[in-house]
Amino acid sequence: MADTLLVVRWLDDRSSRDLRKRRFDVERGPRTVPGVLWTPPRPVPAMPLVLLSHGASGHKGTDYVAELAKAFAGRGIATAAIDGPVHGDRRLDGGKNSQLAFLEFCQAWSSDPTMTDEMVADWVAALDGLLALDELGGGRIGWWGVSMGTIIGLPFVAAEPRIGAAVFGLMGLTGPTSDRIAEDAPKVECPVMFLVQWDDELFSRECAIGLFDAIGSADKRMHVHRGRHGAIPPEGFRLTESFLAERLVGSPPN
């Protein structure tokens, strides 16, 4: 995959008082990776960048992803998201049928052994393309992804030494790729915040705690909130935002 031709096409550029939004496609060989980059309206060189992953029923523009992008921009941090393996602009319907996207993701997770590696390569390609921009090259990089964002994001962070801090959660040592997750978790050594929903109907608290325990980072913390799988409270989002901002803002690494 390292020899695959990489082309980034910028599709549009829109700005408001608080946020600049640019859509892009990364052409990685035969794969098209649709993405979006959010920055403060007046970007500066070597801005930190947080890579945002949506969940299995969403897409790169899902509401909480866009809200996180706006919050990080207020802290002088750029954010970027790409569509998941069967999501958003990878679909003919543009991701409007969230229930169908969720079902097709579950099917791909259980039946396509290449899904994780292909998505890891998509994220690496997107990151390579973004870091070619003057305002991002040289800045610290973070990861934010829960549920599907951990299913795919944990292997990505384990394989990507440029990630300096990560938010995971709503996932555990279970499911079709549990062996892969268990193998990759000890390789994650950057600071980690891990979110758990105590009444999660998809991933039990026991399997979530098992995954947290397996992560190799010496700097890791877990935050638990009551509620079902998708019911992260506003406080939970604010905690993750502060966690990443504190570790990414400042002098860029040498």
Side-chain angles (χ1 to χ4, degrees), residues 2-3 54 56 60 71 75 147 169-170 174 176 180 194 203 209 214 216-217 221 234:
D3 297 329
H54 62 81
K60 63 185 178 300
R75 294 175 177 262
S147 193
L170 308 193
T174 187
R180 170 68 179 272
F194 195 96
F203 301 101
I209 292 169
S217 176
R221 70 273 335 265

Side-chain angles (χ1 to χ4, degrees), residues 41-113:
R42 296 178 181 83
V44 298
M47 277 191 303
L49 170 67
V50 174
L51 304 176
L52 300 172
S53 175
H54 62 81
S57 61
H59 53 78
K60 63 185 178 300
T62 292
D63 287 349
Y64 68 82
V65 172
E67 287 299 317
L68 280 166
K70 184 177 180 179
F72 279 118
R75 294 175 177 262
I77 298 172
T79 51
I82 66 173
D83 284 322
V86 292
H87 301 84
D89 288 329
R90 300 195 202 230
R91 305 180 61 83
L92 293 177
D93 67 0
K96 295 178 181 178
N97 190 331
S98 60
Q99 185 175 21
L100 183 58
F102 176 83
L103 292 173
E104 290 186 6
F105 170 76
C106 292
Q107 182 180 31
W109 187 24
S110 63
S111 64
D112 182 358

Side-chain angles (χ1 to χ4, degrees), residues 1-253:
M1 291 184 185
D3 297 329
T4 300
L5 179 64
L6 179 67
V7 177
V8 180
R9 294 190 296 113
W10 294 95
L11 305 178
D12 63 24
D13 188 341
R14 301 181 183 182
S15 294
S16 65
R17 184 180 65 179
D18 302 318
L19 201 63
R20 182 182 180 188
K21 178 181 178 181
R22 284 170 276 181
R23 289 194 309 117
F24 63 88
D25 281 345
V26 176
E27 304 293 343
R28 184 177 72 81
R31 288 171 69 90
T32 298
V33 184
V36 59
L37 170 67
W38 295 273
T39 61
R42 296 178 181 83
V44 298
M47 277 191 303
L49 170 67
V50 174
L51 304 176
L52 300 172
S53 175
H54 62 81
S57 61
H59 53 78
K60 63 185 178 300
T62 292
D63 287 349
Y64 68 82
V65 172
E67 287 299 317
L68 280 166
K70 184 177 180 179
F72 279 118
R75 294 175 177 262
I77 298 172
T79 51
I82 66 173
D83 284 322
V86 292
H87 301 84
D89 288 329
R90 300 195 202 230
R91 305 180 61 83
L92 293 177
D93 67 0
K96 295 178 181 178
N97 190 331
S98 60
Q99 185 175 21
L100 183 58
F102 176 83
L103 292 173
E104 290 186 6
F105 170 76
C106 292
Q107 182 180 31
W109 187 24
S110 63
S111 64
D112 182 358
T114 71
M115 184 194 75
T116 297
D117 285 334
E118 290 291 352
M119 281 301 301
V120 168
D122 286 352
W123 272 111
V124 171
L127 180 57
D128 287 345
L130 291 168
L131 293 185
L133 296 174
D134 290 341
E135 64 260 43
L136 298 180
R140 291 191 174 105
I141 304 162
W143 173 267
W144 194 104
V146 298
S147 193
M148 188 191 79
T150 297
I151 292 169
I152 292 169
L154 190 146
F156 167 69
V157 174
E160 180 50 81
R162 291 176 289 186
I163 303 300
V167 171
F168 298 126
L170 308 193
M171 171 55 184
L173 289 177
T174 187
T177 57
S178 58
D179 289 346
R180 170 68 179 272
I181 297 293
E183 178 183 348
D184 284 344
K187 301 174 186 175
V188 174
E189 297 181 343
C190 66
V192 168
M193 176 177 282
F194 195 96
L195 297 183
V196 174
Q197 289 296 105
W198 199 244
D199 308 298
D200 195 322
E201 72 279 16
L202 299 182
F203 301 101
S204 72
R205 64 190 72 155
E206 291 81 11
C207 73
I209 292 169
L211 176 53
F212 174 79
D213 190 49
I215 291 171
S217 176
D219 177 4
K220 59 182 179 179
R221 70 273 335 265
M222 175 186 292
H223 280 273
V224 179
H225 302 95
R226 297 204 65 89
R228 290 167 66 84
H229 182 74
I232 299 174
E235 173 196 3
F237 287 101
R238 289 194 297 268
L239 286 169
T240 62
E241 176 196 331
S242 295
F243 171 82
L244 289 176
E246 289 168 4
R247 283 154 183 79
L248 300 179
V249 174
S251 300

